[in-house]
Amino acid sequence: MTLLDTTLAAAKAENRAALIGYLPAGFPTIPGAADTVQALIDGGCDVVEIGLPHSDPVLDGPVIQTADDIALRNGIRITDVLETVRQVTAANPAVPVLVMTYWNPVDRYGAARFAADLAAAGGAGCILPDLPVEEAGGWLAAATGLDLATVFVVAPSSRDQRLATITASGTGFVYAAAVMGVTGSRAQVGELAEDLVKRTRATTDLPVCVGLGVSTAAQAAEVSAFADGVIVGSAFVQRILDAPSAEAGCTAVRELAAELAAGVRKR
């Protein structure tokens, strides 16, 4: 079992969902990104996702788009993303660190090269929201050989046969989008989320983790009651955007992570 497998299994053994936190690399600054990710971990996140900023993040709402734009204007490069992964994994060897990225930057960098460099940095795998499983053969071959997880995204609109196709190719866990649409905090996570988790579990033994919309401890507790993981991104990014300084941003992220970590334990 990989570190990601054992981490998710440990949360399940505690009768709770794992808390998975997301922040983009290069935000609020390139050298400061590792500090904000560290705040996620210090606050109680079991797994972290580091985003690779993209100029056209089709899955992401305005909050993460703003953060990506800041990172791109900071001059973020793939090597900087990998360096952030290296710094975080070196400081936290027991915490799985994933990269969430659209496929185009990986394709341009070279799939085999990216997989090798991510593994060398200590990364646990990738979340690839826009890579069709039918076109993922090259990446999967490289990732599997390096024990990197490949996490695909499923949506409420996915038919059962399509769910089976996607989950047969993925590893690590399945990312279940709680709502139709882009990322962003919402007053309600979405009634379709629990049904999607049930339908997805019918096709796989992989853990099913829910994202898109969770921003409060109450929502984390709600999702923890039926999912294996609760994924939070926009709410953390918004805390940093609202903070008057980098230090205050880290404090705000740490505090929110602690609230959400308490939430997943109140199922």
Side-chain angles (χ1 to χ4, degrees), residues 52-63:
L52 195 160
H54 194 272
S55 58
D56 187 23
V58 293
L59 182 68
D60 295 307
V63 173

Side-chain angles (χ1 to χ4, degrees), residues 28-236:
T29 65
I30 292 174
D35 292 334
T36 58
V37 176
Q38 185 63 50
L40 290 175
I41 297 168
D42 292 343
C45 285
D46 301 289
V47 179
V48 294
E49 302 172 12
I50 295 176
L52 195 160
H54 194 272
S55 58
D56 187 23
V58 293
L59 182 68
D60 295 307
V63 173
I64 292 178
Q65 286 183 25
T66 298
D68 277 8
D69 183 61
I70 290 170
L72 291 169
R73 285 190 279 114
N74 286 338
I76 189 75
R77 296 290 184 268
I78 289 179
T79 52
D80 300 315
V81 178
L82 294 168
E83 174 59 19
T84 301
V85 172
R86 188 198 65 76
Q87 292 176 21
V88 174
T89 57
N92 306 275
V95 177
V97 179
L98 299 158
V99 168
M100 185 165 186
T101 177
Y102 295 97
W103 179 243
N104 182 258
V106 177
D107 190 38
R108 289 177 62 88
Y109 190 85
R113 177 188 174 201
F114 186 85
D117 289 353
L118 177 59
C126 272
I127 301 170
L128 298 163
D130 66 340
L131 177 62
V133 294
E134 293 83 1
E135 300 174 19
W139 166 260
L140 288 168
T144 301
L146 294 165
D147 286 332
L148 294 174
T150 299
V151 178
F152 292 112
V153 178
V154 298
S157 60
S158 301
R159 295 179 180 272
D160 292 348
Q161 183 176 359
R162 184 61 182 166
L163 290 175
T165 299
I166 293 171
T167 58
S169 295
T171 57
F173 64 88
V174 182
Y175 188 128
V179 294
M180 296 300 294
V182 297
T183 59
S185 301
R186 291 171 171 83
Q188 295 182 332
V189 176
E191 296 179 357
L192 298 176
E194 186 169 2
D195 177 67
L196 176 59
V197 170
K198 289 179 180 178
R199 292 196 297 119
T200 303
R201 281 181 172 158
T203 71
T204 183
D205 291 329
L206 289 172
V208 183
C209 303
V210 171
L212 274 68
V214 176
S215 62
T216 68
Q219 290 173 335
E222 175 190 352
V223 174
S224 183
F226 60 81
D228 299 297
V230 178
I231 304 170
V232 182
S234 294
F236 287 124

Side-chain angles (χ1 to χ4, degrees), residues 4-33:
L4 179 60
D5 295 332
T6 57
T7 299
L8 294 173
K12 183 176 182 179
E14 295 177 9
N15 195 35
R16 67 174 178 89
L19 178 60
I20 303 173
Y22 164 93
L23 283 170
F27 172 75
T29 65
I30 292 174

